[in-house]
Every structure is written in structure tokens, then in C-alpha cells.
Amino acid sequence: MEVILQNLTKKFPSRDRKNREDVIAVNDFTFEIPDGQLIGLLGPSGCGKSTTLNLISGLLKPTNGRIFFGKDDVTDLPPENRGIGLVFQNYALYPHLTVRQNILFPLQNLKGKDKLSKSEMLKKAEDAAKLVQISELMERRPGELSGGQQQRVAIARALVKMPRVLLLDEPLSNLDARLRLQTREEIRRIQKETGITTIFVTHDQEEAMSISDLIVVMKEGIVQQIGKPQEVYDNPSNLFVAKFLGTPPINVFEGRIQNGQLYIGDNAVLHTGNVSDRKVYAGIRPEGFLLQEDGPLCCELGGIEVMGRDISIVSRNKASLNPAIRSIIGTDNKIDTSKTDIRFSLVSRKVFLFDRETEERIDFT
Ligand code: ADP
Ligand code: MG
């Protein structure tokens, strides 16, 4: 089921006595979520992710705009008539009910032609439990389960009616690191198996990058960029997106373009072809540095961390906006740690230029 957002906007009245301006939590979203895909809504806390999800679920009414599930305009439908499954960060299970009763719950309120017999309901609950691999926990209560198991129950409950759209709001944030990794792979598997269009909200770029077919990067209620994770990483449309994606993060330098070259400090470090003379920000991915003895970019060597497959070099440069520059190179490189300086050349496609005022990307060839 594709989900189409058309000029979707949500304003909240300000609670601030001094600043009476409305908060525009979601500002004119227009995009289409393709059928059967997992889409990650990604951005820092407060950027409007939950509001977007709650508009799609029907828990909130938009100030403006429309929402379609396929050809159905669902904008004025209450949540229970939209065919959605919802999962929250805090699981929201009923503590006094068993796992089985929790999963059965959404089926018990079905009316009219949707009404199910007892045995049909039990079968559906069994199937949902099997899908998330908790069949052996059906008689327990939520208090007798680990966080990861509780989240599986919540997912089973959201899936038991086979929703048209599955909505997950930071579902992994309460889990410890290892379980988070495991559960995100699990969510991906379940999504692929069921083919249900899924919208996954997270502030964690690594999480979004690793499981999404498409990511929507948001900032202050405004969509910054939509694309496949790798495409967005390789082609960020502005400085915010470039900085938000990637670990270690991109290294940002103050630079300038002069006669078709990028200067960092006094050194021309890269040919930038057609870009006119101007001040820029230059973003360099950690994998965009090549060790080169007479390389044009000279940095003060801070330290070296060998991390199995790679070496991480920490260095400093006056023009760098990051306190420490992090470059990642292969372990086959030899580094003379007795020297105070280290020199690099740059990989052109790992370097991005941004306008100093608008912070929009400037293309170069
Ligand atoms: P996120 O989920 O990305 O952290 P939210 O969608 O929860 O962000 O919030 C987006 C913005 O809307 C924030 O500035 C938040 O303070 C504001 N906001 C959210 N819900 C309400 C509400 N019910 N009343 C007023 N402001 C709200
Ligand atoms: Mg939120």
C-alpha cells in the first residue's frame, strides 16, 4: 500500500508566553512512500518525526494537506479505520494481560463483517507470535519478559490485523546496544516477509541507514532530502545532511575557491573545475583522505587508533571546524608516529563543497 503525503502541515499553538508564534512541527510535506518498502524518518529530536507518524496514524489531525493510502483519502478517517499497526518506544503493553491476550486485543473489537470467531482469533494470534518468534512466551505477562521480548509482543500486536501500513516510533530506543542491533535486523526480516509498507522513525542515522529502503532526512519540520541511504550519503544536498549521516562524521573545513582550486589554509588541496571564486565549507568524509608524503593538505598529527580492518588517524588543522579530524585508512599503510605532521591528498568524490550562507551543496566536476 503506497502512502502519499500532500502538502501535509501541522502547527501547534505556542506554549511560550514571550514567543506566541505557532510551532510548525511538520511543514508542507509532499512525498510518496512506495508500496512494500521500509522508509526511515530520520532527524534530530524535535524535528517532527513523531508528529508526522501521528498524522499518518490519525492520532493527530493535520492543519493542512491530505494523506492517501493508495487511492483512499484517509485524512478524515479515525485511526481504527485506517488499517494501521502502531509500535511505540515504550511498548505500551497491558501489564495485567498475558502475551496471548495482548496480541488478541486488537481482534476483539472488530465488528460487523470483520468480526472473527474465537478460533480464527487464536489462529491469527498464533501466526503473529510465530512471525516474531515468541510462540513459547504466550502465557507470560509483560513483567516476566525482557525488553526485547516485550517489543516483539508489541510488534506482534501491531501485525495481528495485517495492517495496510506499519508505523514504528523509535521502537529500539529502550533496548541495549546488542539487542538493538538484533531487533533491527528482526524488524527488517518481518517487514520483508510480510511486505507491509513500514514507516520507521529514529534519530539514529546508523539505524536508519542500515534497515531502510529509503530515508527521509528532516530538520525543524522541513524535509531536507529523500533517497536511498547510500545515495544520500554519497550525495548530500546540504551541509546538515552531510553532517547528520556517517560515523565517524564528515570533517568540515573553512575553505575558499580560487582559480578552480579548493584552498584549505594556504594550500591548494583539490581541483574544483568550474566553481567560481568564493568562500566555501569543504566537507571531507573520513575515507576521503589518502596518505601521501608530499600531499597538499598538512595536519598536525594527534594520534592513531588501529581498529582491526582500518586505521583511524586523529589530526588537527586550523581551518577545521571539527576539533579533531578523523581519517580512516587501510591497515596496509605505514605511519611514522615520530613526526608531528601528517600529509594527505584527497579523493575528489568524497569531498563536498557548500555555500557559506545557504549551506547548500555546490557541485564541481
Ligand atoms: P520528534 O519526534 O522528531 O522528536 P516531535 O514530532 O515530537 O519531534 O515534535 C516536533 C515539534 O513539535 C517540537 O518542537 C515539539 O516541541 C512540538 N510539539 C510536538 N507535539 C506538540 C504538542 N502536542 N503541542 C505543542 N507542541 C508540540
Ligand atoms: Mg519523537
Side-chain angles (χ1 to χ4, degrees), residues 36-137:
Q37 300 221 330
L38 192 157
I39 174 153
L41 292 187
L42 173 65
S45 176
C47 74
K49 304 180 296 295
S50 295
T51 304
T52 308
L53 211 70
N54 292 337
L55 291 169
I56 296 171
S57 71
L59 293 174
L60 284 174
K61 286 257 166 281
T63 313
N64 244 317
R66 314 234 40 107
I67 302 164
F68 295 85
F69 287 2
K71 292 204 167 52
D72 275 359
D73 185 338
V74 300
T75 318
D76 299 317
L77 289 183
E80 61 273 19
N81 296 346
R82 291 193 183 193
I84 47 145
L86 264 174
V87 178
F88 300 102
Q89 174 176 344
N90 60 5
Y91 324 130
L93 299 174
Y94 303 106
H96 57 289
L97 299 183
T98 64
V99 168
R100 186 189 313 278
Q101 290 165 332
N102 265 283
I103 301 174
L104 279 170
F105 197 83
L107 300 177
Q108 286 163 338
N109 300 314
L110 295 176
K111 296 196 180 70
K113 66 173 172 41
D114 296 329
K115 203 170 159 55
L116 298 172
S117 71
K118 188 89 206 258
S119 64
E120 283 170 325
M121 284 196 265
L122 287 171
K123 170 78 168 61
K124 281 187 188 280
E126 288 293 338
D127 289 348
K130 198 166 161 200
L131 189 63
V132 303
Q133 299 176 344
I134 49 163
S135 300
E136 69 289 359
L137 305 173

Side-chain angles (χ1 to χ4, degrees), residues 238-288:
N238 61 38
L239 184 60
F240 173 82
V241 175
K243 282 162 77 170
F244 202 73
L245 300 185
T247 30
I250 196 162
N251 300 283
V252 184
F253 295 80
E254 287 181 330
R256 65 178 200 284
I257 305 296
Q258 202 176 316
N259 297 328
Q261 307 228 59
L262 167 65
Y263 280 77
I264 290 178
D266 294 329
N267 301 323
V269 296
L270 193 71
H271 288 282
T272 52
N274 51 356
V275 183
S276 59
D277 290 5
R278 64 209 287 188
K279 287 184 169 180
V280 293
Y281 290 121
I284 309 173
R285 292 277 183 217
E287 65 276 22

Side-chain angles (χ1 to χ4, degrees), residues 11-27:
K11 294 182 187 169
F12 292 111
S14 169
R15 295 220 181 91
D16 186 343
R17 275 159 191 261
K18 290 198 193 103
N19 179 2
R20 293 256 172 207
E21 257 180 74
D22 288 348
V23 177
I24 309 181
V26 171
N27 194 344

Side-chain angles (χ1 to χ4, degrees), residues 130-150:
K130 198 166 161 200
L131 189 63
V132 303
Q133 299 176 344
I134 49 163
S135 300
E136 69 289 359
L137 305 173
M138 293 295 258
E139 307 312 324
R140 294 206 201 168
R141 282 176 219 283
E144 299 160 348
L145 301 176
S146 72
Q149 290 168 332
Q150 289 185 48

Side-chain angles (χ1 to χ4, degrees), residues 49-50 169-170 201:
K49 304 180 296 295
S50 295
D169 194 348
E170 311 246 10
V201 161

